[in-house]
């Protein structure tokens, strides 16, 4: 087993060690022929050649014509009419980015056709053919038709221009701005390949806490260089737009969105960008949120702000993604309610090319949150999903947590807004309210780490996000299996146990960090480790005590009618069901209710007992992960095996730290003994409270 | 030619393509036998196996006894007495880190012995044997004896705990503090291998602008993990000690070096560190320099401060490296004079385990400086050389500049303090004044870049520094040749022209940045690009105008008797020779003299004409580098070839920027036309003055 640094991600093209499988491929593929001359078609054929030669160990010839056993690549319009005719009904089923992968017989020649409406579709189909081989699937009778269900499938990089990454735990920004536009790093190309292989078609290069500097001509030249690398891979670039840019990067006295000069400034800026980057995607904006400037500074609304930018990019087919992550520093209302309160009244008022980007839950990327109540509540506005792939609140890059399981949980939740079956997925893919423009974003976990994501299993979260962005109805377990096979090994003895480990890993982190609906009790600022005791920060909703509300009587945030009534933002029957402690799912218990320590739960034990049991279960979950991993050593190269082994030790250490610190803290309120299954904590509460981590990663330098 | 990302540095063990050479090695080496069981010996034999198997393509067996054609490894004391006897005189010539590499006949068996006084010596000898093979040298009659001439051969990392690197241009810090001590990255091991291969035996992990946090137990545990990785490679760890640590990381009210509690605090801290890291090297200190705390804060001297720390580490055989890089914010004296003025009176007062660390020149790592006048001026104090490998003032990591040529220039300079031949090298290696403790440090250019140094040729500067640290009398041209062969190709058609390119590259950067003795006219703060016009910074000596002193009459800094008299710090005949414009070498002209624009130089042309000619020459030098590189494409893998090609385009663009900006600026003072050989500048002076680079790399975040 050779050492691997993980740089190749799931695009591992090592020789397949199963001779029968290789034979099948050699029997059916001996060369390729392409129709068309687009640069996207070039990267597709180059990828196919590289993959085939690696997996099968034989050169894949380019043929001058369609011969027996050739792979035929080309978009619908470039295919010969006979082939087009044979695929007519298949092609009618796909959208502009979809593909058809089909075994055909043409003039008695057996061929495999990869086609789509566009060359990008052909590229996606090519990656699908490669994947079939990576999964060792039989390709004798290919008959695969697939199209993405969501239109804008984006990564959001919270990357600063100094290469620090806010909430980045995989080193620093892969964008080496200083050396652009001249120096094109191989990473840029491989980044585009990886994204194309899972259908991601857009990337926001810069942090939502934005710098207006990126909109100057000096930087546009650099962005252009990246856009040119990405273009053949169907990957559009987007930028974050700092709302005050007309004053900072321009010389206006205001950024008022109704001011004619401001509106003209943005139009000119958009024209300038599009002159250099004709396929520029558009802007992502965080406005009037956590100190960022926005239209409210001028007593204008989010609609005024978003529509101004939308008008600037509309002539170029650009879009604006306007984030709904807002909460006021003055408003005493439950933070969980504020985005809904502010945005829902605007439903139907945004321009056609505006998407409102909503986080999966109403607080902030916790290990578990109920779905955000805005989903389903704005039928006349396209809502874009924002997931976080980087693990800000989930142990950073040293914890193995398989996030697609969590993404799936949210996508599958039923909003009931149009009766049963009104799932979040249907809001996001536009089918629930017949939306044309649809989108989904994942906050990237990518950095300068040699393996891109720090933790080798972080790659599965990038991969899985891409797969769910393509089709939000996919099963996260199936995604885990294919990722494992492509990345490590096809051996069932490896895939089955490690797939189980991945699936369980998400509940593990919930258990050892925030079980039973607890949330946002991470230490403040960096969000590293437990900090339920923090109560001295400027804004109430920055303090963990705001979220858990522990007293001697009980713990949890009452969001029912008797409390903040955040529940009223959900449709029936959720409202009614969650309004009572008894009928609230236990996983959301302390999210919606303040519950007495002695409250008897389903298993007949008290809340206090169950809370302790969950923390203990979390630790034991990680112990099981450690054991599972040790058992599969023979299937993984030494380098990745050992790296994951070491990282699991960090995870185990930190799971125990969480259990001990949080239980000792809550014990002050419950006044009860720790159940006997909890081992004696290594340190006392004062020790845990004394820990400080000024250089925990992922903090923007300005916060130091 | 396969793609290479440069991660392997000069330790490339690709199969040798010359069959005769391979045959020679196979004829003489078929296995190895080791005497001893030290972990250093283990890494030596592992390295030999890896290298042999790569270079020659055959497995190197471990033998149970000494057989025909075996490599025999072991330190003197572990060797069998017959072999020891045969090597007696060789072994008497080496020091504790030296090695003997010798072909012998033992009981009619032809063998190759690698030995030394210590296992680290054996390791160095093993790397030498490997290098002989990388260079395709005949190993039939090995007879090589070598010892390092300087005792402490260190890298200084200006790495912060948040992983930013002050003056780092190769990404971020390779020390992933957050994941230590659990996660041991392969890079840590390969870093140690690379250093051992060139004889570097110490590394200061942290920035001289230090954080006291690294001295807390939380971090000592992390440092220990690195020390354990490095130990088998003979690489000791050192830390920077922030002078105010007793107040910051301890809870004392003072850091006064004469306060008994402070002295005890440092002793206890040293004991704590050595309990965890028995071979801890000691402390590097920047005190009372550019805002760092130090003994002067308590009206104590540098001697008081250094000796206090020296006493704390002395029981553990630790050392203190006390930097002489000081200049006062109040003192109006020429900055070039201040370190000498402050330190020379202390000669003989430092404890035995203190080294005073002096930069190569009296200002600050300029493209060219005369040697620092402290060298030779403190015969009773061990002076340690501080070179800068990272290119703070030399174009960062995008400029190809071969620094060993510059290091050699300084080491070869004659101080004349004990008559002719009193070179800087003899001060540094201790031979001039019979010093026991000797040292040399290089400020590292290493970061998270996949190839370690950003520019592939930056590796040559790390390599060459190590070679000169081992032997300061080596020829930089010979070092360039061996590095090229090990790193790229042994083909003469490649080595000769690229070696020439490297040697000329240093004069090129002097020409296009600061010819004829100009210095410190880089833009301020980040030192990126030209900024001769900067005149508004808080301290006079931070401003470029302080250094060039251009007026309508002339340009340059008068450091003769009629000026600052910095010349008086040098010995005769330097003083007399440099006191006159006529006898000052032209390369130092404007360093020591304020010279009229119309002054006629050796070639009969005016200063103004010659200044312009030098800038133009610098640009043309880079154009030649571009052409040379394009010519050798066939000898280099695509990835590194293209990367260097792109970087040379940046260098060419910036060389022109320098020429245009500086000449347009000085033209305001000279009032003369640009000579006709200068192409019309692309932009006007205002444009160049308007450029701002707030995110230029290498700036500590706190400076933003």
């Amino acid at each position: 087993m050779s050492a691997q640094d993980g740089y190749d991600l799931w695009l591992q093209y090592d020789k397949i060690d199963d001779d029968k499988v290789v034979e099948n491929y050699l029997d059916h593929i001996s060369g390729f022929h392409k129709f068309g001359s687009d640069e996207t078609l070039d990267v597709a054929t180059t990828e196919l050649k590289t993959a085939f030669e690696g997996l099968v160990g034989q050169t894949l010839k380019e043929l001058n014509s369609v011969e027996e056993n050739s792979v035929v690549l080309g978009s619908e319009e470039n295919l010969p009419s006979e082939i087009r005719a044979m695929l007519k009904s298949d092609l009618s089923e796909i959208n502009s980015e979809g593909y058809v992968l089909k075994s055909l017989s043409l003039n008695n020649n057996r061929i495999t056709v990869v086609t789509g409406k566009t060359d990008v579709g052909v590229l996606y189909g090519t990656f699908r053919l490669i994947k079939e081989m990576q999964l060792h699937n039989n390709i004798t009778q290919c008959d695969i038709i697939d199209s993405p269900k969501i239109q804008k499938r984006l990564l959001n990089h919270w990357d600063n221009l100094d290469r620090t990454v806010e909430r980045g735990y995989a080193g620093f920004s892969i964008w080496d701005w200083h050396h652009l536009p001249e120096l094109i790093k191989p990473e840029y190309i491989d980044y585009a390949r990886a994204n194309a292989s899972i259908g991601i078609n857009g990337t926001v290069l810069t942090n939502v806490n934005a710098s207006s500097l990126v909109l100057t001509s000096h930087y546009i030249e650099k962005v252009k260089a990246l856009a040119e690398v990405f273009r053949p891979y169907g990957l559009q670039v987007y930028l974050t737009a700092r709302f005050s840019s007309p004053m900072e990067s321009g010389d206006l006295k205001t950024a008022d969105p109704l001011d004619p000069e401001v509106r003209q400034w943005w139009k000119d800026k958009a024209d300038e960008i599009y002159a250099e980057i004709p396929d520029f995607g558009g802007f992502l904006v965080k406005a009037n949120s956590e100190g960022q400037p926005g239209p409210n500074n001028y007593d204008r609304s989010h609609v005024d702000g978003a529509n101004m930018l939308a008008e600037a990019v509309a002539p170029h087919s650009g879009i604006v993604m306007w984030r709904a992550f807002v909460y006021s520093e003055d408003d005493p209302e439950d933070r969980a309610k504020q985005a809904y309160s502010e945005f829902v009244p605007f439903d139907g008022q945004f321009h056609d090319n505006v998407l409102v980007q909503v986080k999966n839950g109403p607080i902030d990327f916790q290990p578990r949150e109920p779905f955000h109540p805005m989903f389903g509540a704005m039928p006349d506005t396209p809502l874009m999903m924002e997931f976080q792939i980087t693990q800000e609140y989930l142990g950073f890059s040293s914890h193995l947590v398989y996030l697609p399981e969590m993404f799936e949980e949210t996508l599958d939740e039923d909003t009931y807004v149009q009766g049963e079956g009104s799932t979040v997925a249907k809001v996001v893919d536009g089918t629930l309210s017949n939306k044309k423009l649809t989108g989904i974003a994942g906050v990237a976990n990518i950095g300068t780490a040699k393996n891109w994501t720090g933790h080798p299993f972080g790659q599965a979260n990038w991969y899985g996000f891409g797969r769910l962005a393509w089709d939000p109805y996919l099963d996260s377990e199936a995604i885990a299996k294919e990722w494992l096979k492509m990345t490590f090994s096809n051996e069932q003895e490896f895939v089955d146990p490690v797939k189980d480990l991945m699936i369980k890993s998400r509940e593990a982190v919930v258990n050892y960090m925030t079980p039973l609906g607890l949330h946002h009790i991470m230490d403040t600022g960096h969000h590293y480790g437990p900090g339920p005791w923090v109560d001295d920060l400027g804004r109430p909703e920055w303090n963990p005590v705001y979220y858990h509300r522990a007293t001697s009587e009980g713990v949890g945030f009452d969001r029912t009618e008797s409390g903040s009534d955040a529940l009223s933002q959900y449709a029936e029957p959720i409202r009614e069901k969650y309004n009572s402690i008894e009928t609230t799912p236990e996983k959301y218990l302390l999210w919606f209710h303040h519950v007495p320590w002695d409250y008897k739960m389903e298993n007949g034990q008290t809340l206090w007992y169950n809370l302790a049991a969950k923390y203990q279960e979390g630790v034991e979950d990680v112990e099981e992960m450690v054991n599972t991993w040790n058992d599969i050593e023979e299937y993984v190269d030494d380098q990745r095996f050992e790296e994951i082994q070491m990282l699991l030790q960090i995870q185990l250490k930190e799971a125990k730290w969480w259990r001990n610190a949080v239980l000792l803290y809550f014990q002050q309120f419950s006044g009860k003994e720790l159940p006997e299954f909890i081992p004696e904590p290594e340190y006392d509460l004062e020790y845990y409270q004394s820990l400080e981590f000024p250089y925990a990663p992922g903090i923007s330098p300005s916060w130091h």
Side-chain angles (χ1 to χ4, degrees), chain A residues 95 146-151 153 428-431 438 468-473:
Chain A
N95 62 31
D146 204 1
S147 287
K149 293 194 164 56
I150 299 173
Q151 213 181 333
R153 306 175 299 279
V428 175
D429 79 358
T431 53
T438 58
L468 288 168
W470 179 276
D471 182 348
Y473 303 97

Side-chain angles (χ1 to χ4, degrees), chain A residues 412-621:
Chain A
D412 286 353
E413 286 221 70
D414 199 332
T415 69
Y416 291 97
V417 290
Q418 297 187 28
E420 204 175 334
S422 305
T423 61
V424 172
K426 287 188 184 168
V427 177
V428 175
D429 79 358
T431 53
L432 191 68
S433 303
N434 195 25
K435 286 274 136 328
K436 290 281 168 296
L437 183 61
T438 58
I440 183 167
V443 180
N445 63 344
I446 296 164
T448 50
K450 295 216 184 325
N451 67 8
W452 300 89
T453 56
H455 201 303
F457 276 80
Q459 300 181 353
N461 296 333
W462 176 8
Y463 181 86
F465 165 76
R467 299 288 292 128
L468 288 168
W470 179 276
D471 182 348
Y473 303 97
L474 290 177
D475 171 24
S476 65
E477 198 162 324
I479 296 172
K481 282 177 86 157
E482 65 185 30
W483 177 80
L484 282 168
K485 290 180 181 179
M486 294 163 80
T487 306
F488 289 104
S489 163
N490 273 267
E491 296 287 341
Q492 203 180 329
E493 293 77 9
F494 168 80
V495 174
D496 286 351
V498 182
K499 181 261 296 168
D500 287 346
L501 176 161
M502 290 171 74
I503 294 299
K504 288 181 193 161
S505 66
R506 188 283 182 110
E507 203 63 36
V509 75
V510 172
N511 286 337
Y512 64 71
M513 283 189 183
T514 51
L516 299 175
L518 283 173
H519 52 287
H520 217 297
I521 57 172
M522 293 74 189
D523 202 0
T524 304
H526 47 60
H527 301 150
Y528 174 60
W533 45 77
V534 177
D535 62 0
D536 58 352
L537 297 174
R539 293 169 59 166
E541 72 282 0
W542 284 353
N543 289 291
V545 296
Y546 172 90
Y547 297 98
H548 65 67
R549 310 199 159 199
T551 63
S552 59
E553 270 125 73
V555 63
F557 198 129
D558 184 359
R559 291 193 166 105
T560 66
E561 285 167 6
S562 60
S564 78
D565 203 19
L567 248 183
S568 66
Q569 296 180 337
Y570 290 93
E572 289 297 5
I574 298 177
R575 219 146 51 184
E576 195 191 328
K577 186 175 169 199
Y578 290 15
N579 201 47
S580 144
I581 296 189
E582 280 68 32
T583 51
T584 298
E586 288 190 347
K587 65 182 180 180
Y588 296 141
L589 188 64
L590 306 180
W591 186 282
F592 287 110
H593 299 280
H594 190 76
V595 182
W597 295 110
D598 278 329
Y599 173 74
K600 284 269 190 306
M601 294 179 59
E602 266 173 46
N603 60 3
Q605 299 284 358
T606 64
L607 170 66
W608 171 247
Y609 179 96
N610 273 288
L611 195 67
K614 282 288 180 192
Y615 276 103
Q616 180 59 20
E617 191 182 332
V619 171
E620 290 170 10
D621 289 339

